Amino acid sequence: MATAQLTASSISTRSLASFQGLRPLEAVKFGASAGHLRVGAGLTQRSFNGLVVKAATVVTPKYTSLKPLGDRVLVKIKTAEEKTDGGILLPTTSQTKPQGGEVVAIGEGKTVGKTKVDLSVKTGTQVVYSKYAGTELEFNGSKHLILKDDDIVGILETDDVKDLKPLNDRVLIKVAEAEEKTSGGLLLTEATKEKPSIGTVIAVGPGPLDDEGNTKPLSITPGSTVMYSKYAGNDFKGKDGSEYIALRASDVMAVLS
């Protein structure tokens, strides 16, 4: 049987991004039986069994309502920005992928131990969610996402991430600025600046639930300078250009003073 060879010259992350409504990790899969991917220049070397492409599930027009079950939430996805702040039109491949939207339906909640726990959001709430959470839907002519309550990072009622109200065990951190020079005094370019993993806590969530369904407050407090896991959480840029990260409290490794 002939084997398909995919190289960096024939496939790239840029070409994948150009497909409308496709996201990684679900639906269409090219496994080892169909071919294999040879990682070349421009592709990161990773260990995986096949190429996975995720497409949105289309709900046919005959269904006019959708009721999430349990601790799941239905979010109408915010439209991607089509222009830069300067008014320049962006091609589809350059548009910022939205990570927020409006809650349009919620499940009945969940039971922890013997306690019935309500969801942390209500319909009409503007939320921010984890980048690869949930399942995308085409429903009533709009893009939606159905995801678990725990995948919602926080509530954002303004258009500036610094106003994010973290939920559950999430923490919002303003990232410290990267060093401009080496210890020897050499100026660093943007590409060579090391990504910092230190920042100031801006806001914290109410805390996780214990085995009995009671909220356990976080020990981290706003104003603390902390060190966090380098590749954890979701990165955001504030309107003032500052970098922020929202992550779980368990990804905070230490408090600095």
Side-chain angles (χ1 to χ4, degrees):
M1 179 182 293
T3 301
Q5 288 274 356
L6 300 180
T7 67
S9 62
S10 61
I11 187 168
S12 69
T13 54
R14 181 179 296 274
S15 63
L16 284 176
S18 66
F19 288 90
Q20 288 280 356
L22 295 184
R23 296 173 61 197
L25 306 178
E26 202 179 284
V28 183
K29 182 173 182 178
F30 300 90
S33 61
H36 63 275
L37 175 67
R38 190 177 72 199
V39 178
L43 293 179
T44 303
Q45 177 70 49
R46 294 199 179 188
S47 175
F48 57 92
N49 295 324
L51 175 65
V52 181
V53 179
K54 182 175 180 180
T57 300
V58 178
V59 180
T60 58
K62 69 177 181 178
Y63 300 109
T64 58
S65 67
L66 192 157
K67 171 65 176 175
L69 298 178
D71 61 345
R72 286 179 170 79
V73 175
L74 181 66
V75 175
K76 184 176 181 181
I77 299 175
K78 181 182 178 180
T79 305
E81 294 293 337
E82 296 183 355
K83 293 183 179 181
T84 66
D85 292 338
I88 299 174
L89 282 172
L90 294 171
T92 301
T93 53
S94 300
Q95 290 173 13
T96 302
K97 183 175 181 60
Q99 278 181 249
E102 179 184 350
V103 176
V104 294
I106 62 174
E108 65 273 14
K110 60 183 178 180
T111 300
V112 180
K114 296 181 179 180
T115 305
K116 178 68 180 299
V117 180
D118 292 332
L119 300 186
S120 55
V121 295
K122 300 183 183 298
T123 55
T125 305
Q126 299 292 325
V127 298
V128 173
Y129 47 81
S130 297
K131 185 176 290 186
Y132 299 113
T135 299
E136 281 193 10
L137 307 171
E138 288 280 356
F139 179 60
N140 283 344
S142 300
K143 290 186 177 181
H144 291 73
L145 189 73
I146 188 165
L147 69 167
K148 288 192 172 185
D149 178 72
D150 189 56
D151 288 324
I152 297 176
V153 174
I155 297 172
L156 185 60
E157 300 292 357
T158 72
D159 58 355
D160 196 346
V161 71
K162 71 179 179 61
D163 299 321
L164 180 74
K165 297 177 182 177
L167 295 178
N168 303 314
D169 61 343
R170 297 310 206 292
V171 178
L172 178 66
I173 295 171
K174 184 177 182 180
V175 179
E177 293 185 7
E179 294 293 333
E180 300 284 344
K181 295 181 179 181
T182 66
S183 56
L186 295 176
L187 285 172
L188 295 172
T189 64
E190 289 296 325
T192 56
K193 290 179 184 177
E194 184 177 356
K195 179 182 177 181
S197 54
I198 294 174
T200 303
V201 176
I202 302 299
V204 301
L209 300 176
D210 62 21
D211 294 337
E212 297 180 353
N214 299 312
T215 301
K216 184 179 179 181
L218 298 177
S219 59
I220 304 168
T221 57
S224 301
T225 300
V226 297
M227 178 183 295
Y228 52 87
S229 182
K230 194 166 188 177
Y231 299 106
N234 292 269
D235 299 303
F236 302 96
K237 185 180 287 291
K239 294 188 72 174
D240 62 352
S242 299
E243 301 284 345
Y244 293 84
I245 186 169
L247 40 71
R248 295 187 183 275
S250 58
D251 290 318
V252 177
M253 300 185 292
V255 177
L256 305 175
S257 59

